[in-house]
Amino acid sequence: MVNSGLKSRKVSFRIPYYTQWGQNLLICGSDRLLGSWNVKKGLLLKPSHQGEVLVWSGSIPVPPGYQSEYSYYVVDDRRNILRWEVGKKRKLLLPDGLQDGQSLELRDLWQTGSDNIPFRSAFKDVIFRSSWSLDGERSLEITQNKLDQDGSVILQFRICCPYLEEGTSIYVLGSSLNLGQWKIQDGLKLVYAGDSLWQAACVMGKDDFPLKYKYCKHSKAGTSVECGASREISVDVTTGESRFVVLSDGLMREMPWRGAGVSIPMFSVRSEADLGVGEFLDLKLLVDWAVESGFHLVQLLPINDTSVNCMWWDSYPYSSLSVFALHPLYLRVEAISENIPEDIKQEIREARVQLDKKDVDYEACMATKLSIAKKIFAREKETILNSKSFQEFFSENQEWLKPYAAFCFLRNFFETSERSQWGRFSEFSKEKLEKLVSKESLHYEVVSFYYYIQFHLHLQLSEAAEYARKKGVVLKGDLPIGVDRNSVDTWVYPNLFRMNTSTGAPPDYFDKNGQNWGFPTYNWEEMSKDNYGWWRARLTQMGKYFTAYRIDHILGFFRIWELPEHAMTGLCGKFRPSIPISQEELESEGLWDFNRLTHPYIGQDLLQEKFGASWTIIASTFLNEYQKGFYEFKDECNTEKKIASALKSFLETSMFVESEEKLRRKLFDLLQNVALIKDPEDPRKFYPRFNVEDTTSFMDLDQHSQNVLKRLYYDYYFHRQEGLWRDNAFKTLPVLLNSSDMLACGEDLGLIPSCVHPVMQELGLVGLRIQRMPSEPDVEFGIPSQYNYMTVCAPSCHDCSTLRAWWEEDEERRHRFFQAVMGSDELPPDQCTPEIVHFVLRQHVEAPSMWSIFPLQDLLALKEDYTTRPAVEETINDPTNPKHYWRYRVHVTMESLLNDKDLTKTIKDLVRGSGRFYPQKDLESGQAKLQLGSEHPSQTQKYGLSNK
């Protein structure tokens, strides 16, 4: 308690922040006076309008030596948290010179996620690493200055400046004599206080207010003053009260940092040393090429083990066997030992020739690598498994490593990952696991082989990741939204997954029937019980190798498209979580016939339309006539999976000419011809079928029923869920962001709820913009020059065709793009020439986006020599094909690309001419230094193209 006999010291808080009606601002901190991190007991602030600004303020009396951490929170009238600051906790420490009866006033600015970007490892540890290596000094000015008793004020200026070139100082200039009256030679020089924070203090008199000021950088090369209007502070000096005022002014306002990068799947990289597939150590070559080309970032697809089926299906990188284990596919077997005998070396050389194919042979690569690795393991297992480095690795990773190795053993032993076939091992238990992996176990050698593989994968990826950091290149990973149904994670933590469901996406740009990824949805309620420990561990593991990551399908953290486990397509799903339409709601609108609305509406006319003269055969095989002219599916084929199975059997004995795929699609159309979907867990709850107005089930309803369903449809998909989804994202996404200091980017493509982008902006999540998939409605092509800074822009991505293939796919679309985007009324060429590629890439590199990231295939298209391969063969994924073979390999080695000075110069000139920062190799030190591109070049190019 503060001694009431003394004049106490007072700490005041002041922050400008706009809130909505019914919202309040409060401070909560680590000390009891600020609630001990219990928001219900925090300090509630009071609002006041100061000009056009809404300012919140409050104060507390504190004892001598008081200190605390604190943050600001937006709460409702019951003090329920609605929003909170992103970033590090603020620190409150009383200045030594603060006497009884004097006050400390903290003037803060709300910290958004974008303010925290410089503190992410992509910038702190890679791009701005030289600035962050400065030694922090304790700023003594505030303690050395003494307050007079005549109302004088000590102002401490604090500014965050994450990037500072060598030999540069930071000053604050202003209208006061103490701030040099805007003259740099008389300004107040700031000192470094650590964590990119610069600060200094000086005494101000009554006549210095209102004070205008700005921060600036100063070096021998000149002075750079921050952008925007002058900052301004007023202090009420009429009270005669002496005080310290600390101005936490956030980030220095200067040209935002913008960089460029290259994206390519790990498996697609080709080198002279690999065995038919890209390997982690190839990343060093890719990093060298990135630096030579002016790039600060290399982006990969997921690199976790996917070997669920032990066949080429496992080439799908988003279906994780384990979210912790690395994929053995990317192991360089030649590097796992220094003592490989000559016969094995010869085997490796022969395999290199045999596997050097146009595309990845997934099964052959995996089999060859594991076979060779087992031979080396047999020779050195005792040495490696008893080594100090392995023991440290095992100790740090055993929680996931033991079940992973056991799973791999059981998968091979039972020849399936379907654990229902594993007998007593079907259900996981720690007791059974420990017996299986113990050194006394008969199977220990097999189990320890998987330890050995993961150990070497860790060493090789760590080596590549450290190499990238030293070269100033951000290594960006990929966080898949799901895990395989038959994975280590669902075996060990079945309570975290809804195993009777499947994830996907509603119909979108990629597929008019939606997508069904086959992953079980997450049991978020169960995950929240340990504060999402599985997610936190997953992100911590990623952070060992990457300094940035892409959150696959970030919409899944707001809501996921959930399908029944028996579905094969992605059409008849519902959002989870979501507020369903209740039976009472439907009845109040005059809708009573729930069987009619929820059961497939199959009339004879529809059957004849779909199947022609063969409709009777189809009807007798798959359907029952429940009333004159109307049919329903038989019990043995009333789901998509049952239909697929029954159809296969039917076609084995029938003489149908039509393909199985077409017949299956038509039967699925019948099954999906419903207006409402009944909740499988609550029969009194319903969901509108996606695109319900396109169904004959809807079209044959009376006008009143159609009007009601239309209204409920648009309410369900576009209105009633927004608050729920926003709150859901604020529960889950901050846990991810706080689990590591990697820079987080979100893949926000598809049907985007209106709550998504504001939440991403608040949390500092960088979005994605693909020009051919604009997020704006009624726009065919995005306009890169109008993109938000907090975005990654790219001409294409792994889920769509390359720039060349897209150009050649559609003549009419090509003409529209040529006219609307490139500003030409001429007939566009059939082929995507290097000049067109250059124009599109320049549009993106000049965009305001934080990052421009280009698929390697699109960069290679800048040179005709690399466009001899048919463009369609360069596509990485076909989202419409659930059994797509992910096997694209770049047709040129990284060594050859490094020697192609013409291409690297073309790319570097693009980056240099765009105003983006790029790494410039220092010939003396061999290190990559940061350079800023020049002003934009002239926009005149071949075809007289304009940069609209």
Side-chain angles (χ1 to χ4, degrees), residues 627-647:
Q627 72 178 54
K628 182 66 174 175
F630 285 92
Y631 297 79
E632 62 183 3
F633 278 96
K634 296 177 179 179
D635 289 344
E636 59 267 27
C637 45
N638 60 1
T639 70
E640 291 179 5
K641 284 187 177 177
K642 287 181 181 179
I643 287 173
S645 177
L647 179 61

Side-chain angles (χ1 to χ4, degrees), residues 24 46 94 114 120 156 184 369 402 413 515 649 797 804 810 834 871 934 946:
N24 297 287
K46 294 182 178 180
L94 295 186
S114 55
R120 294 296 180 181
Q156 186 186 57
I184 186 67
K369 292 194 175 198
K402 284 181 179 180
F413 184 83
Q515 298 175 55
S649 300
C797 66
R804 274 206 309 140
D810 188 323
S934 62
S946 64

Side-chain angles (χ1 to χ4, degrees), residues 124-300:
K124 177 168 64 76
D125 298 336
V126 183
I127 296 169
F128 298 151
R129 67 197 183 286
S130 59
S131 298
W132 281 77
S133 65
L134 293 168
D135 293 327
E137 309 170 27
R138 174 154 174 79
S139 179
L140 300 177
E141 292 89 347
I142 198 164
T143 60
Q144 292 169 346
N145 288 289
K146 299 295 182 183
L147 279 173
D148 299 325
Q149 299 302 315
D150 60 353
S152 61
V153 175
I154 291 182
L155 284 185
Q156 186 186 57
F157 298 89
R158 290 183 180 177
I159 192 71
C160 179
C161 185
Y163 174 62
L164 205 66
E165 291 184 339
E166 193 175 342
T168 303
S169 300
I170 295 182
Y171 287 79
V172 57
L173 308 178
S175 55
S176 157
L177 186 64
N178 289 328
L179 298 183
Q181 293 183 323
W182 302 107
K183 297 174 183 175
I184 186 67
Q185 62 269 24
D186 299 322
L188 177 64
K189 185 178 180 180
L190 277 61
V191 296
Y192 188 59
D195 282 352
S196 81
L197 189 68
W198 299 77
Q199 60 188 34
C202 64
V203 179
M204 294 291 179
K206 296 179 179 179
D207 297 333
D208 289 320
F209 298 102
L211 174 70
K212 291 188 176 183
Y213 65 99
K214 276 191 174 186
Y215 295 95
C216 70
K217 293 179 178 180
H218 179 70
S219 67
K220 290 180 180 178
T223 301
S224 172
V225 181
E226 67 175 343
C227 309
S230 297
R231 301 175 188 259
E232 188 168 346
I233 176 175
S234 294
V235 177
D236 184 4
V237 292
T238 60
T239 62
E241 179 186 6
S242 300
R243 71 188 84 178
F244 287 89
V245 177
V246 178
L247 301 173
S248 295
D249 279 329
L251 285 170
M252 182 178 282
R253 301 190 306 239
E254 51 187 342
M255 180 188 297
W257 191 93
R258 294 158 60 243
V262 57
S263 64
I264 189 73
M266 188 71 259
F267 59 79
S268 297
V269 177
R270 186 188 292 267
S271 77
E272 294 172 2
D274 70 46
L275 287 187
V277 65
E279 299 167 348
F280 286 146
L281 290 177
D282 290 328
L283 286 172
K284 296 167 78 171
L285 291 171
L286 185 55
V287 164
D288 286 340
W289 184 80
V291 172
E292 290 295 328
S293 302
F295 293 145
H296 266 297
L297 182 145
V298 167
Q299 177 174 323
L300 305 175

